[in-house]
Amino acid sequence: MQQTVARYLIFFQYTGSKYSGVMKAPAHQAVQGVGNHLENAVRKLKPVNEVCVSISSRTDTGVHALCNSAHVDIQRRADKPPLSEQSLLEALNFQLKEEPIRITRAYRVHSDFHARYQAQSRTYVYRLALGCQHHTLMPLTEKDLCWALRDTRLNIDAMREASALLLGTHDFSTFRALSSDAPFKCPVKTLDLAQLEPGESFSQRHFQRDIQFWELTFKSRSFLYRQVRRMTGVLVAIGQGRLSVSKIQDLLEARDSLAFPNNLTAPAHGLFLTNVQYRDTDLVASMSEEQ
Amino acid sequence: MQQTVARYLIFFQYTGSKYSGVMKAPAHQAVQGVGNHLENAVRKLKPVNEVCVSISSRTDTGVHALCNSAHVDIQRRADKPPLSEQSLLEALNFQLKEEPIRITRAYRVHSDFHARYQAQSRTYVYRLALGCQHHTLMPLTEKDLCWALRDTRLNIDAMREASALLLGTHDFSTFRALSSDAPFKCPVKTLDLAQLEPGESFSQRHFQRDIQFWELTFKSRSFLYRQVRRMTGVLVAIGQGRLSVSKIQDLLEARDSLAFPNNLTAPAHGLFLTNVQYRDTDLVASMSEEQ
């Protein structure tokens, strides 16, 4: 009797600085994606089936995640029981230990569960550090983990006013970067959260310089390609007084990727995917049904 | 006419994970010290004299610094003026850019200034993270930057009571680890600050786990070898209820390195040197006197 295939949803974190992004890179590419390392780790568990890790939320080169998710099927030899959630988590972390990638949670899910399509929301946090005349003057503990701006202050009120205009349902075409991937996806998205709050850092209190941190948080069911970095770039330009608050409205109304101002996309290394949410009921597998 | 030697005080930061410590390692040692990289960087500026970087405050393998200091003499060719403070800072950072070491400030100082002996105080911060069942479950942004404890809480009141007993002037012999370096130094030190405060971390708010950070701050003119890590280890054991508050008094009174309980030294990677202070007047060189 052949063992049933078990499907798992895994949540994982990574610092993105050394990867080509979260998606699996083609074999010939020198720099690998987080996905390559995840698949290799699953393969080390010697499943009978071909391994394919389906990642829920795309992040680019240099972007980090405190929480991303993926599903994967594991079929073991007939004489072996399915891996428990905890065993899977520990075994994958053991395999990944050389890499800045860690599995944080694992759930056995229904065989038709899909990490990407069943995600209810994604949350991104963009970290800004103010008052840094040169990147060498940042605390090294923040290296590649925030966007260091020379400005000592931003017009926070204007940024908050502008981010409120992004809330709700809009055609975000202007905020989508052109990409060969799925250019025909619907550009209408509903932004549930766009907030700006003071950020935190250990080094802020102890480093001998006045560096302030701010965090932009965005939550939506899904985002367009580079949407968060483009929204952040525009909000920062508004905070710097380089754009007026009403520019947000103009950009939304343009509904055109090419209408986005040049060189305004925020750099990748300040961006963190911090949550991918599912319905609680999706995280409870019916084991009887599976067997 | 030969150019005068210019002495500089430099402040620098580093993450210590990849170094054998801050002190220069011998040539045959595979892992280098921060000091080796500093000296190499100064040598790249092609001074006429032999380069020797005198570091003010020793830190061990894995210990970090947001602020350490050193003095160095630079004698340039007769046809070149002395380097300005800003030029020195930028040139050294350019040379160091591959390393997690950065010069944060540079001062031209008197020719008899000594970075180590003229330091008025050193401040260390030890970072604790609570509620981490396994080190793989820590946010990766905190990897090697704190001591991750399984405990979900510590008896903070007891720890504060105990740290108050460390304040002031004591013979800290029990808190000194034995070392071949200068074993005959006076073990009487005056601790000006020993405080425990909630810590901060970006990931605390956004990581999907309840991780609390605490910071122990110690300030003294100088410290004995491993004193901060030993004091921290005892305070944590008191917070965990494994030692009573009065044990601090017993340890101080024992005045014996060997009386220190086994395996209680806190790990290196949670420790940060955060400040080395000098008199303001020491940071103003009298250029006329030098030339």
Side-chain angles (χ1 to χ4, degrees):
Chain A
M1 187 197 96
Q2 210 184 9
Q3 186 71 49
T4 330
V5 178
R7 178 163 290 190
Y8 298 90
L9 167 67
I10 56 171
F11 289 93
F12 54 100
Q13 56 163 331
Y14 48 92
T15 48
S17 315
K18 61 173 277 196
Y19 304 110
S20 63
V22 73
M23 304 314 278
K24 192 178 155 183
H28 64 270
Q29 197 173 294
V31 180
Q32 294 206 298
V34 173
N36 300 76
H37 294 282
L38 290 174
E39 285 198 354
N40 291 342
V42 177
R43 266 187 216 110
K44 293 263 175 65
L45 310 183
K46 301 194 175 146
V48 177
N49 60 326
E50 266 208 30
V51 174
C52 175
V53 170
S54 295
I55 291 167
S56 75
S57 311
R58 181 180 172 141
T59 60
D60 290 338
T61 311
V63 175
H64 319 287
L66 294 178
C67 173
N68 200 338
S69 62
H71 72 258
V72 64
D73 289 333
I74 299 183
Q75 184 175 9
R76 303 184 84 201
R77 276 187 0 219
D79 58 333
K80 292 193 167 185
L83 281 167
S84 74
E85 295 165 343
Q86 186 60 24
S87 306
L88 177 66
L89 183 150
E90 287 169 11
L92 292 180
N93 278 335
F94 178 80
Q95 298 298 340
L96 289 163
K97 69 169 178 273
E98 300 299 319
E99 297 295 325
I101 306 170
R102 292 288 176 274
I103 315 298
T104 53
R105 288 180 284 158
Y107 298 89
R108 177 124 182 232
V109 289
H110 279 288
S111 57
D112 60 353
F113 177 89
H114 198 290
R116 179 165 163 210
Y117 300 124
Q118 263 147 288
Q120 298 299 298
S121 73
R122 276 91 175 171
T123 306
Y124 283 91
V125 172
Y126 199 100
R127 298 182 76 220
L128 306 171
L130 305 191
C132 190
Q133 292 303 307
H134 192 265
H135 69 93
T136 58
L137 301 177
M138 276 295 288
L140 280 163
T141 49
E142 292 293 345
K143 186 170 154 17
D144 297 331
L145 300 175
C146 61
W147 182 12
L149 297 164
R150 299 171 70 97
D151 313 72
T152 51
R153 54 188 302 280
L154 294 173
N155 186 340
I156 299 296
D157 289 343
M159 290 173 76
R160 286 195 170 134
E161 202 184 324
S163 44
L165 295 174
L166 291 170
L167 274 180
T169 306
H170 303 278
D171 181 326
F172 282 98
S173 291
T174 310
F175 292 90
R176 162 162 71 184
L178 293 175
S179 131
S180 54
D181 302 353
F184 302 116
K185 276 192 196 155
C186 175
V188 177
K189 301 283 173 193
T190 302
L191 203 58
D192 298 319
L193 193 67
Q195 81 180 14
L196 177 61
E197 295 295 332
E200 284 184 356
S201 164
F202 153 63
S203 34
Q204 189 172 11
R205 199 192 290 176
H206 302 291
F207 198 61
Q208 315 297 317
R209 268 172 212 285
D210 184 24
I211 295 174
Q212 292 167 61
F213 289 83
W214 285 90
E215 293 176 5
L216 282 155
T217 306
F218 300 99
K219 183 177 172 185
S220 174
R221 172 125 195 178
S222 63
F223 290 92
L224 297 166
Y225 183 56
R226 301 229 167 134
Q227 184 184 343
V228 175
R229 289 167 57 192
R230 285 190 164 211
M231 292 190 300
T232 300
V234 168
L235 290 174
V236 166
I238 289 170
Q240 291 170 326
R242 295 160 59 206
L243 292 180
S244 66
V245 173
S246 63
K247 182 72 179 177
I248 285 273
Q249 205 59 53
D250 299 344
L251 291 173
L252 285 169
E253 283 167 14
R255 300 177 194 197
D256 177 5
S257 270
L258 300 174
F260 191 80
N262 281 337
N263 305 319
L264 225 56
T265 306
H269 59 258
L271 184 58
F272 290 73
L273 175 59
T274 61
N275 207 3
V276 184
Q277 266 194 314
Y278 296 92
R279 286 195 193 89
D280 286 345
T281 49
D282 280 343
L283 303 186
V284 184
S286 158
M287 293 302 160
S288 57
E289 189 190 293
E290 306 264 335
Q291 279 157 10
Chain B
M1 187 197 94
Q2 208 181 10
Q3 186 72 47
T4 328
V5 178
R7 179 164 290 191
Y8 298 89
L9 167 67
I10 56 171
F11 290 93
F12 53 101
Q13 55 162 332
Y14 48 92
T15 49
S17 315
K18 62 174 276 197
Y19 303 111
S20 63
V22 73
M23 304 313 280
K24 191 178 158 185
H28 64 270
Q29 196 174 295
V31 180
Q32 295 207 298
V34 173
N36 300 77
H37 293 283
L38 290 175
E39 285 198 357
N40 290 341
V42 177
R43 266 188 215 107
K44 292 263 176 64
L45 311 184
K46 302 194 175 146
V48 177
N49 59 327
E50 266 208 33
V51 174
C52 174
V53 170
S54 295
I55 291 167
S56 74
S57 311
R58 182 181 169 139
T59 60
D60 289 339
T61 311
V63 175
H64 318 287
L66 293 179
C67 172
N68 201 339
S69 61
H71 73 258
V72 63
D73 289 332
I74 299 182
Q75 183 175 8
R76 303 183 84 200
R77 279 192 354 224
D79 57 334
K80 292 192 167 186
L83 281 166
S84 73
E85 296 164 343
Q86 186 61 24
S87 306
L88 177 66
L89 184 150
E90 287 170 11
L92 292 180
N93 278 334
F94 178 79
Q95 298 299 339
L96 288 162
K97 67 169 179 273
E98 299 299 319
E99 299 295 326
I101 304 170
R102 292 288 176 275
I103 314 298
T104 52
R105 288 180 283 158
Y107 297 90
R108 177 126 182 228
V109 288
H110 279 289
S111 56
D112 59 355
F113 177 90
H114 198 289
R116 181 166 161 210
Y117 300 124
Q118 262 148 289
Q120 297 300 298
S121 74
R122 276 90 175 173
T123 305
Y124 283 91
V125 172
Y126 199 100
R127 298 181 76 220
L128 305 171
L130 303 191
C132 192
Q133 291 304 307
H134 192 267
H135 70 93
T136 58
L137 301 177
M138 276 295 290
L140 281 163
T141 48
E142 291 293 345
K143 188 170 154 17
D144 297 331
L145 300 176
C146 61
W147 183 12
L149 296 165
R150 298 170 71 95
D151 313 73
T152 51
R153 56 189 300 280
L154 294 174
N155 185 338
I156 299 295
D157 289 343
M159 291 173 76
R160 287 194 169 135
E161 203 183 322
S163 46
L165 295 173
L166 292 170
L167 275 180
T169 306
H170 303 279
D171 181 325
F172 282 98
S173 291
T174 310
F175 291 90
R176 160 160 73 182
L178 292 174
S179 132
S180 54
D181 302 354
F184 302 116
K185 275 191 197 157
C186 174
V188 177
K189 300 283 173 192
T190 302
L191 203 58
D192 298 319
L193 192 68
Q195 80 180 15
L196 177 61
E197 296 295 332
E200 284 184 354
S201 163
F202 152 63
S203 34
Q204 189 171 12
R205 198 191 290 176
H206 303 291
F207 198 61
Q208 315 296 314
R209 269 173 211 284
D210 184 24
I211 295 174
Q212 293 167 59
F213 288 83
W214 285 90
E215 292 176 5
L216 281 155
T217 307
F218 300 99
K219 183 178 170 183
S220 175
R221 172 123 192 180
S222 63
F223 291 91
L224 297 166
Y225 183 54
R226 300 230 167 134
Q227 184 184 344
V228 175
R229 288 168 57 191
R230 285 189 164 213
M231 292 190 299
T232 300
V234 168
L235 291 174
V236 166
I238 289 170
Q240 291 170 326
R242 295 160 59 206
L243 293 180
S244 66
V245 172
S246 62
K247 182 72 179 177
I248 285 272
Q249 205 58 53
D250 300 344
L251 291 172
L252 284 171
E253 282 167 14
R255 299 177 196 201
D256 176 6
S257 271
L258 301 173
F260 190 80
N262 280 336
N263 305 318
L264 226 57
T265 306
H269 59 259
L271 184 57
F272 289 75
L273 174 59
T274 60
N275 206 3
V276 184
Q277 265 193 314
Y278 295 91
R279 287 196 193 90
D280 287 345
T281 49
D282 280 344
L283 304 186
V284 185
S286 158
M287 293 303 160
S288 55
E289 189 188 295
E290 305 263 336
Q291 280 157 8

